[in-house]
Every structure is written in C-alpha cells, then in structure tokens.
Amino acid sequence: MSDSPPLVKLTDVNFAYDQRPILMGINMEIHRGQVVAIMGISGGGKTTTLRLIGGQLKPSSGEVRVNGVSVPDLDTEGLYDMRRRMGMLFQFGALFTDMTVFDNVAFQMREHTDLSETTIHDLVMLKLNAVGLANVHACKPSELSGGMARRVALARAIALDPMLIMYDEPFAGLDPISLSTVGTLIRQLNDALGASSIIVTHDVSESLKIVDYIYFVSEGRIIAEGTADDIRASDAPFVHQFVRGDIDGPMAFHYPSPPWRDDLYSGAVGHA
Amino acid sequence: MSVFHTNLLSTLRNLGKRVTDRLWRLGFASRFLLATLLYSGMTLKRFHLTIREIYFTGVLSLIIILVSGLFVGMVLGLQGYDTLQRYGSSEALGILVALSLVRELGPVVSALLFASRAGSAITAEIGLMKATEQLSAMEMMAVNPIARVVAPRFWAGVISMPILAALFSAMGIFGGYLVGVQLIGVDEGSFWSQMQASVDFREDILNGVIKSFVFGILVSWIAVFEGYDCEPTAEGVSGATTRTVVTSSLAILSADFVLTALMFRGV
Ligand SMILES: Nc1ncnc2c1ncn2[C@@H]1O[C@H](COP(=O)(O)OP(=O)(O)O)[C@@H](O)[C@H]1O
Ligand SMILES: [Mg+2]
C-alpha cells in the first residue's frame, strides 16, 4: 500500500489565526484506500486540518499536497477542479435546508454534469440506497432525525464518487445504534468507491474499529500515531487517558488559567 | 499633556477609527457587488433560479404592497380633496393623487416596505446559510455561493422592485378614486381626464421607474451583503437583519433626495 505515493501529504505544516498558532509542524500521510482518523480534544485544530486539505485555508508555512499537487498554490479554477473529486461531511451536516433530500444529493450532479434528469434520479436513489434512506427522498432536512441527516449528508458527500472523503465529527451527537451504522457505512463506502477517507473525531472506540491509521493531535501538534493495535497497546499517558476517557491525566480538563486560589484572593482584595 | 488633551486625542482617534472602519466596509461591500455582477452570468443562463427567488421576494411581498398602496391612495384622496377644495379646484384631485404616487410615494414607500418584508428575509436566509456552514459546504462542492445563492437573490430584488412600485401606484390611484369620486363625489370624468392630460410619460412615469430601479439595486445589494458578511451566530444574523432594514431605509430616503434633485427641472 505504501509503495504508491500518498494521496494526501502534509509536510511541516504550520498554521495561525491572526497571530495565534493553531497547528505546529504537522506531518501526515493518507495513502490510497485507507481510512485515517485524526483524533484529539475539541479546539485541537482538527477541523482546521481538514480546511487546509480542502484549500479553504492556506498554511503559514509547510506543504499540503493532494494527489501530488500543492493545494495552496492552486488558483480558484484549479481548486474547484480538485474539490469536485473531494467529498466533505461537515460537522453539523450542513444540508441545504431549502431543498429536499433528493435535491441535496442531486445538487452536485446538476451543477457539474450534463446528466439527464432520469440518470440523476437513478444515481441519487442509488446513493440514498447506499446509506439506507431511499424512502425519505422527498423529505426536507428539517423532517429528519440527527442520525438520518448525517447519513443524507454522507450520501451527498459521495454523490460524484470522490477520491477523497473527509468527515468532520461524523459521530458527534448520535445514539449508539446510529453511531455504529455510520461507522460501518464510512468503511463500506470507502472500500466500495476505492476512495480514501479522513475522519476527524473524538470518539475513540467507534473509530478504532474501522480505521487503518490514527493521528492524535493535541494543542496543534501530533503527539502519537499508529495503527489501531499500536494505539490500543500504547502506554503513552495521553493516549491512555484518551482511550479510557479518564478526566485526570496529562490532558487538562480545565482550560489553562491561573490557579483558582489566586483568582479568589485577587477578587477578595479587590473588594476589600 | 493635560487630561483634557488626552481625552480629546482619544476621542478623535476613536472617531477616525470609526470613519475608516465604515469606509473599509463600504469598500468591501463595493467589491462584493462587483463580484456579484461578475458571477451573474450563470444566473442569466439558469434563469429558473432567479424566477424562484422572484417568487419568494416579489410575489410574497404583493399583499403588503397592494394593501399599503390602497390605504396611502385613500389618504391622499382625503387630504388632497381637503386642500384643493379651498382653492376651488377639487377636480384636479386626479392629478394630485397620480403625481404624488408615481413620482414619489410609489417608489419610496414600496421600497421601504420591500426592505422590511423581503430585504430582511434575504439577509436572514443567507446569514443562516452561512451560520450553518451551507455556504462553506457549497464551496467545498466546487460551487461558488456568490453565483449560486447571492446573484439570483440580488437580481430577483432588482427585477421585482419596479413592478411592485408600479402596482403600489396603481393601487394607490384606485384608492384615491374610491375616496375622491365614490365617497366624496368629485366628478369622475374630470378626475380621469385631468390625470391623463397632466401625467407626462417621460417626466413622471419614467423618472418614477428609474427611482424604483435604483432603490431595488440598493435594497438588494444591502440585503445580500449583510447576509453574506454577517457573523455566523444567532446574534450575528439578527444584528445583520436589523442593519439591513435600517441601512436600506436611510439609503432609500437619501437616494430619493439626490435623484429628485437631479430630475428637478428648476425655474
Ligand atoms: N475563524 C476562526 N478565527 C479564529 N480562530 C479560530 C477560527 N476557527 C477556529 N479557531 C480556533 O482554532 C482552534 C482550532 O479549531 P478547530 O480546528 O475547529 O478545532 P477542532 O476541530 O479540533 O475542535 C480553536 O482554538 C478555535 O478557537
Ligand atoms: Mg472541529
């Protein structure tokens, strides 16, 4: 698998919002056919990483390459060409609320192809069938449950058979059954389409079941990486804490702040 | 430096910053309008997208425009008769009603109504699409949101506005007729014939249409820009919606003065 060049390659990527560094020295490779997870606590820079790969943000330094092409150097047209072969599932689905489920999935086909409405109809029903939701094609997104909306967004993301599918928190807010349905779907769709997938998530147990490789991101750096077995066997305290979900550990539950005792006293002095 | 001087300086600095901020935003809005016009090609090619928006902005504003037009015309009938009969020229009521509506009240009032009925809705819709990442998702699907979402709404507003203003004026004239002729008893023949004789196509009607066209551009531009530029949160969307109504109203009224001054033939 690693003999062909990787589909996505990030080399020494740094990124900052204004002056605040968000990502530091990120190196990542996603090989063809793989499902790769990027894990870490909220605010760690996972969504930012996806936006860098999709070309919605440019790194302050370092290289982002997709299929050998440097993404930050693409012009608008080149970027749009690349995105036609990418699918992205947004954190909250981002379904078009003014369209039916059918029109959501058909959206890219109508925008980017000259297919006839009959062909589009067949394709859309095929995609909806793949996520098990052919019967809701006439519904508006507001009529769907969270898990169903997520699956429709999934069908929309794979509408044009992309080479790379990116999932931002596909498991967030799902009940256990929808959770494993979506997990299994991600793996099946990846293999059926011969695509590569990146899953951004903080759900360890679900993703360990379906992914080939995992990157742990914390405070803008990659602090651990490996296969699911590597991660399970890892004795790095951070990974240990994350996998087991402990509150105590190297990863602070509290947002970094001066000790509350100081705060309390400074407040007391202020009122005196 | 004294406290007074420090205060003065910081006041000046704040004022300067606010002015440059406004100017910067105006520049940004102008570039946005330019981009909207540049990406309008697709809107023309796929005109059904615009037709759909004309339905939402134009057709759904019809009721409020027609009812308001009727009432404004009825008030004009009452007030106009009251003034004119003092000079014994109440048969000129038709002229007064028609000219007030076609030249002034039709374009201005219907634009103000349009801004609060349709402009605010456009801002809220685009703002919510931004807040729920629908615009971002569209970009990731290699579809330009300015071409697909903004341009059709902009053109729908520009097209609807003159039509709505014309309907407003027609309804208003009918209202003036109801009150003046049917209720008060002004002579029906002179009501219509004087109106026909005195309303000039170029001077009155065309100028009114030009006004409502300009107002349509202003309101639609402000509405789509505020939506696209809003902060992607609930407060952001509600603030942007309010700004659309306030800014549009000021823009309509000031543009009306400028246009009226330009069209004024003087003494
Ligand atoms: N538009 C933005 N402007 C400034 N800071 C941002 C913006 N978007 C995200 N951030 C900051 O970047 C950091 C990483 O965000 P993100 O990549 O969304 O994290 P994650 O997806 O891992 O939860 C967070 O601290 C967040 O506050
Ligand atoms: Mg995120």
Side-chain angles (χ1 to χ4, degrees), chain A residues 15 17-18 20 22-23 40-49 91 168-169 200 255:
Chain A
F15 178 80
Y17 270 119
D18 301 323
R20 195 158 67 94
I22 305 290
L23 295 175
I41 50 168
S42 301
K46 305 184 297 293
T47 302
T48 308
T49 310
Q91 193 154 355
D168 197 352
E169 310 276 5
V200 154
Y255 195 80

Side-chain angles (χ1 to χ4, degrees), chain A residues 177-209:
Chain A
I177 296 173
S178 308
L179 201 103
S180 72
T181 320
V182 170
T184 318
L185 262 176
I186 289 176
R187 182 79 237 184
Q188 281 174 352
L189 290 174
N190 185 75
D191 298 346
L193 293 171
S196 312
S197 304
I198 307 175
I199 307 180
V200 154
T201 180
H202 47 236
D203 189 296
V204 182
S205 60
E206 198 52 46
S207 28
L208 282 186
K209 282 187 241 163

Side-chain angles (χ1 to χ4, degrees), chain A residues 142-154:
Chain A
S142 55
E143 299 167 270
L144 304 177
S145 73
M148 287 157 92
R150 202 70 55 89
R151 282 191 278 160
V152 172
L154 198 61

Side-chain angles (χ1 to χ4, degrees), chain A residues 7-212:
Chain A
L7 181 63
V8 180
K9 189 165 163 53
L10 276 69
T11 317
D12 297 326
V13 167
N14 292 297
F15 178 80
Y17 270 119
D18 301 323
Q19 301 299 319
R20 195 158 67 94
I22 305 290
L23 295 175
M24 286 156 283
I26 298 284
N27 286 292
M28 258 182 212
E29 283 185 4
I30 287 99
H31 289 273
R32 287 160 215 273
Q34 276 191 337
V35 178
V36 171
I38 303 175
M39 284 187 203
I41 50 168
S42 301
K46 305 184 297 293
T47 302
T48 308
T49 310
L50 291 190
R51 288 192 187 274
L52 285 169
I53 298 172
Q56 288 190 309
L57 296 173
K58 283 183 199 285
S60 345
S61 66
E63 274 197 343
V64 179
R65 285 185 181 276
V66 174
N67 222 358
V69 179
S70 169
V71 177
D73 296 331
L74 288 171
D75 56 5
T76 312
E77 211 167 307
L79 204 56
Y80 274 17
D81 271 345
M82 180 191 80
R83 287 182 186 162
R84 281 176 208 201
R85 286 172 295 149
M86 280 184 179
M88 175 135 175
L89 185 86
F90 278 75
Q91 193 154 355
F92 302 104
L95 290 174
F96 301 129
T97 39
D98 58 338
M99 300 180 194
T100 62
V101 165
F102 183 96
D103 291 336
N104 262 283
V105 181
F107 184 78
Q108 287 188 85
M109 302 175 189
R110 288 180 180 147
E111 294 291 327
H112 295 316
T113 70
D114 294 324
L115 298 173
S116 70
E117 274 301 309
T118 348
T119 318
I120 288 181
H121 180 268
D122 293 346
L123 284 174
V124 169
M125 294 319 273
L126 203 69
K127 300 291 176 193
L128 281 175
N129 208 30
V131 298
L133 286 178
N135 55 335
V136 300
H137 66 91
C139 294
K140 281 280 176 74
S142 55
E143 299 167 270
L144 304 177
S145 73
M148 287 157 92
R150 202 70 55 89
R151 282 191 278 160
V152 172
L154 198 61
R156 188 180 67 174
I158 57 162
L160 292 184
D161 296 343
M163 62 178 180
L164 175 67
I165 318 173
M166 297 190 276
Y167 301 92
D168 197 352
E169 310 276 5
F171 306 122
L174 294 186
D175 60 88
I177 296 173
S178 308
L179 201 103
S180 72
T181 320
V182 170
T184 318
L185 262 176
I186 289 176
R187 182 79 237 184
Q188 281 174 352
L189 290 174
N190 185 75
D191 298 346
L193 293 171
S196 312
S197 304
I198 307 175
I199 307 180
V200 154
T201 180
H202 47 236
D203 189 296
V204 182
S205 60
E206 198 52 46
S207 28
L208 282 186
K209 282 187 241 163
I210 56 166
V211 302
D212 301 305

Side-chain angles (χ1 to χ4, degrees), chain B residues 107-232:
Chain B
V108 172
V109 179
S110 62
L112 291 173
L113 291 171
F114 185 70
S116 39
R117 169 66 179 82
S120 58
I122 291 174
T123 303
E125 192 188 12
I126 297 182
L128 273 177
M129 288 182 83
K130 182 177 182 183
T132 54
E133 295 195 305
Q134 294 180 45
L135 298 184
S136 214
M138 212 172 261
E139 264 177 14
M140 279 305 294
M141 289 187 238
V143 175
N144 186 334
I146 293 188
R148 183 64 172 68
V149 174
V150 171
R153 284 166 176 76
F154 174 78
W155 286 111
V158 174
I159 294 170
S160 307
M161 191 66 263
I163 301 174
L164 290 173
L167 290 171
F168 183 95
S169 296
M171 248 352 237
I173 291 171
F174 179 64
Y177 163 81
L178 277 186
V179 167
V181 175
Q182 299 296 336
L183 199 71
I184 302 177
V186 173
D187 179 56
E188 181 165 6
S190 51
F191 182 89
W192 292 118
S193 66
Q194 294 222 9
M195 188 191 298
Q196 275 178 6
S198 309
V199 177
D200 183 68
F201 179 74
R202 226 185 64 85
E203 285 302 323
D204 304 319
I205 297 187
L206 197 65
N207 280 348
V209 172
I210 292 175
K211 275 187 180 178
S212 65
F213 185 67
V214 172
F215 298 159
I217 293 177
L218 284 174
V219 175
S220 311
W221 174 25
I222 292 169
V224 291
F225 175 71
E226 287 291 354
Y228 199 81
D229 185 52
C230 84
E231 205 187 307

